[in-house]
Amino acid sequence: MTDTTTRKRARSGGGAARRAERGAVSFETARFITRNIPDYEVLGEEALDIIEANAETILEEVGVNFVNNPGALQRWRDAGADVKGERVHIPRGLARKLCATAPSQFTQHARNPERNVEVGGRNLVLAPIYGPPFVRDTAGGRRYATMADFEKFVKLGYMSKWLHHSGGTVCEPTDIAVNKRHLDMLRAHMTLSDKPFMGSVTDPDRARDSVEMCGILFGKDFVAQNTVMTSLININSPLTFDDVMMGALEVYAEAGQACIISPFIVGGAMAPVSIAGTLTQVLAEVLAGVAYSQLVRPGAPVIFGAFVSSIDMNSGAPTFGTPEASHITYGAGQLARRLGLPFRSAGSFCGSKLPDAQAAYETANSLNMGLLSGVNFMLHSCGWLEGGLVASFEKFVMDADQLGTLHQLARGIDMSEDAQAMDAIREVGPGGHYLGCAHTQANFKTAFWKSELLDYKPFETWEDEGARDTQALAAARVEKLMATYQAPALDPAIAEALDAYVAQKKAAEPDAFM
């Protein structure tokens, strides 16, 4: 189905839909990044060959567990694996052969076709934080997240120029029952934003709900033929695939929806302390997970994931922005490219409790690592605090602002005739200045990336305006964005159908908070 067909379908609600579309405000979103700079590679050919050979040895000799999932074990038996209890031993080369049917690049469709994203190749798609049970802002401090907080993050993500994706569980709304909150979260992504989003993975039935709600939003035929969700499937490292995550993977793969197959690695706890050992385990787990997705449905879109942190050996807490995490991420990017799969890693990672200097240092290291390692889908790209336990409103807009630097860096260096600036150099000559020359006047508006948050004013002006630090500036920006938010246009008939689906599903079972 073409984008033109999608637009016609979106307007099918008649006059009310067209009036809503004309009256809505559409916020500018930059196109997903396409890198014009090289990837940073830390491993040579010999090292990559060793890691790949060792990963195959792990799959064959050590094996991987598929727990509480007889159907998965049978699929592996039928494919030629040696299954002993719940341990699957995958013959050398089998997983890699199965992975070959996964696409190297795919389109995730948004309900606004102008916001579709291409995942893979030289592209980088930026999505916000995922999963924290707590939120923090300057007004209320650290507290459990609510649905109102969730909706606020979705609105901020929609209005953020440099974010391409609405994400998934941007925070856990703890005021809604566990078995029902996915319905409200999905409806928020679908109605408060028109960017692409993620589905629920906390239960296979919730994954099915996600597919059905997308059928309402996009049309069932469109969903059957296109990827409209990218969802996160974590591996219980080391080497364990549980029935909940695999059940969700099975639902999405069967429906042709994309999954991030992502080991959850804290070096020294879930993987060896050495970089080479961790990369070997990451590759083995991804090979097994991606191969299984292709057993469910050959050609199902998947992403090679690598969530990586090291561990503080004194406290046991995860650490971020470290050299070791960078080395692993760079190496994992090389392995993903050799496997021919899109790559997910990096983010606005930090261990700090506040959006302070520690947060800034660690986040900057993590974001730049992601850009240079060839990441194609960056979850957690803004809002992360306290090792991922907290989603911060101030840090969300701070990080989202800095994502603009990734766009600018990825452009590379313009070597056009205009950029060579020879006329400007001749015009100014020795001892002059460039402020008033023709080249500057023609290019000054777009020559430099400009922050929409940071303060570059003279000291006296800064002091007169309250001597605000970056967190205070970010709090003011959150207020400004929320005051100007307007929902994107949506056919009223589709909105009503989503509301009815959510109401029916919620009424069908009692609340459960476990």
Side-chain angles (χ1 to χ4, degrees), residues 46 55 83 85 134 224 229 270 293 316 326 360 453 497:
E46 181 181 2
V83 180
F134 300 101
M229 279 184 291
M270 289 91 159
S293 76
S326 293
L453 175 69

Side-chain angles (χ1 to χ4, degrees), residues 95-247:
R96 187 171 289 271
K97 179 181 177 182
L98 292 169
C99 290
T101 59
S104 60
Q105 186 169 322
F106 63 90
T107 302
Q108 183 184 349
H109 293 265
R111 71 173 175 91
N112 177 353
E114 293 179 359
R115 307 211 198 280
N116 292 351
V117 293
E118 294 288 333
V119 181
R122 301 297 301 160
N123 304 321
L124 170 57
V125 175
L126 300 170
I129 188 170
Y130 185 107
F134 300 101
V135 298
R136 174 182 282 279
D137 59 24
T138 55
R142 186 184 191 268
R143 63 186 186 279
Y144 279 106
T146 66
M147 192 62 211
D149 293 317
F150 184 96
E151 291 174 348
K152 187 174 178 178
F153 276 120
V154 172
K155 292 175 182 178
L156 289 173
Y158 169 57
M159 298 176 74
S160 297
K161 177 179 179 179
W162 305 116
L163 268 180
H164 316 117
H165 204 281
S166 194
T169 308
V170 286
C171 63
E172 280 281 354
T174 58
D175 56 337
I176 298 177
V178 170
N179 60 328
K180 299 177 181 180
R181 64 180 60 154
H182 68 289
L183 299 165
D184 293 288
M185 290 190 285
L186 280 163
R187 178 171 55 182
H189 281 302
M190 292 176 174
T191 60
L192 302 178
S193 173
D194 62 4
K195 295 181 180 181
F197 55 85
M198 304 175 74
S200 177
V201 296
T202 52
D203 186 273
D205 285 339
R206 295 167 200 166
R208 291 186 191 94
D209 290 344
S210 303
V211 175
E212 289 177 1
M213 289 180 72
C214 283
I216 296 171
L217 183 67
F218 292 94
K220 289 183 180 179
D221 290 343
F222 189 84
V223 173
Q225 300 170 34
N226 297 278
T227 300
V228 299
M229 279 184 291
T230 299
S231 300
L232 178 62
I233 303 296
N234 279 131
I235 297 166
N236 284 350
S237 302
L239 301 169
T240 300
F241 297 77
D242 69 68
D243 57 320
V244 174
M245 286 284 114
M246 289 302 101

Side-chain angles (χ1 to χ4, degrees), residues 255-290:
Q257 302 306 306
C259 287
I260 304 166
I261 312 295
S262 192
F264 190 92
I265 299 295
V266 178
M270 289 91 159
V273 295
S274 65
I275 292 167
T278 295
L279 281 170
T280 301
Q281 183 182 307
V282 165
L283 179 59
E285 292 178 350
V286 170
L287 281 168
V290 172

